[in-house]
Amino acid sequence: MTHLTSPTLTRGAPSSPPAAAGGEDVCRRTVLVGGASLVLTGCFDRPCHERNPAQKAFLDGLQELAKPALASNNPLRVEEAARQSIALADKVGAFSDWCGTLTKIEGNAQTAAVTVDIGRQVSLYAFNDWALAFAGTVTDFFSTRSRATPPPGLSEPAVAALKTVRLGERVTLSGRMGEIAGSGVLDLSRLFGKTASDHRQFLQTPRFVARIEALQASKK
């Protein structure tokens, strides 16, 4: 039996794309969309303390000082790295729009003291009452005291803003590194203790005194 094929079905009719071609288009679109998603995810997953160039440079500088000193297991190198870390913080001076996490609030509106994590195991400490500072966890670090009235470490707007944020919340802050210490209230050369273990502990979890002028919940 002879099978007849209509010319209209074999000539001039658009050929159907192979099934594989459609699969390739789908795969191509998937790769493009997936790639964009990865890029966006990478942006959103970027730690907030790495978004401000000045803040990231400060944290990178601390790490560059601490890593080789701690790895050397040499107490003299550890001590020198701790001193250089303090000097690095002193060079920062004023800072603005730094990102951090509010981890502790002590006292009341008149005697406020706060700790803000500004990087991996790096924090800022600001207080308005010297007695509260001595009653806190940093007692061993503060070994000198000036007879002058300690300048406040938190401005009035910053204290007011503290009432609107929660512990563990991400915040942006502006202020000046070491402002309280730089006013003669603290002696930086003795701030972090004198023993090798004190210096080592500081390099592992550095904590700096600062004045906080402005603080608010982060919108990012």
Side-chain angles (χ1 to χ4, degrees):
M1 182 182 291
T2 305
H3 294 281
L4 299 178
T5 304
S6 174
T8 58
L9 298 178
T10 58
R11 295 179 185 176
S15 59
S16 300
E24 289 177 2
D25 289 341
V26 172
C27 291
R28 190 176 298 112
R29 287 195 296 270
T30 301
V31 169
L32 291 174
V33 174
S37 298
L38 288 174
V39 172
L40 291 174
T41 301
C43 292
F44 285 117
D45 287 345
R46 185 182 181 188
C48 75
H49 57 261
E50 293 184 357
R51 297 173 188 168
N52 185 304
Q55 182 177 0
K56 185 178 186 301
F58 172 61
L59 296 173
D60 288 346
L62 290 177
Q63 191 174 44
E64 289 174 3
L65 289 170
K67 271 192 171 182
L70 292 171
S72 72
N73 201 28
N74 183 329
L76 296 181
R77 287 192 63 181
V78 170
E79 179 184 15
E80 181 59 26
R83 293 183 182 278
Q84 289 182 21
S85 297
I86 297 172
L88 183 65
D90 189 49
K91 290 179 180 179
V92 169
F95 58 87
S96 62
D97 296 324
W98 280 24
C99 179
T101 301
L102 183 63
T103 57
K104 184 180 291 186
I105 303 177
E106 302 171 279
N108 52 43
Q110 288 71 42
T111 63
V114 300
T115 301
V116 180
D117 288 350
I118 59 168
R120 293 184 179 88
Q121 297 182 304
V122 181
S123 60
L124 296 183
Y125 178 71
F127 62 92
N128 279 357
D129 183 79
W130 187 270
L132 183 63
F134 261 83
T137 57
V138 293
T139 305
D140 295 335
F141 290 151
F142 298 110
S143 57
T144 62
R145 179 177 180 178
S146 170
R147 294 181 180 179
T149 302
L154 291 155
S155 68
E156 291 184 7
V159 173
L162 283 174
K163 301 174 184 178
T164 66
V165 296
R166 302 185 306 272
L167 286 176
E169 188 170 2
R170 183 176 293 176
V171 296
T172 56
L173 59 158
S174 301
R176 190 170 186 85
M177 188 76 72
E179 178 69 14
I180 300 175
S183 300
V185 178
L186 301 176
D187 180 355
L188 281 180
S189 67
R190 303 180 183 180
L191 183 59
F192 303 109
K194 300 179 180 179
T195 68
S197 60
D198 288 332
H199 292 139
R200 177 175 287 274
Q201 178 62 33
F202 166 65
L203 290 182
Q204 292 172 342
T205 56
R207 192 178 193 185
F208 299 94
V209 176
R211 173 172 170 81
I212 297 177
E213 296 284 357
L215 180 148
Q216 63 180 356
S218 176
K219 298 179 182 179
K220 297 180 181 180

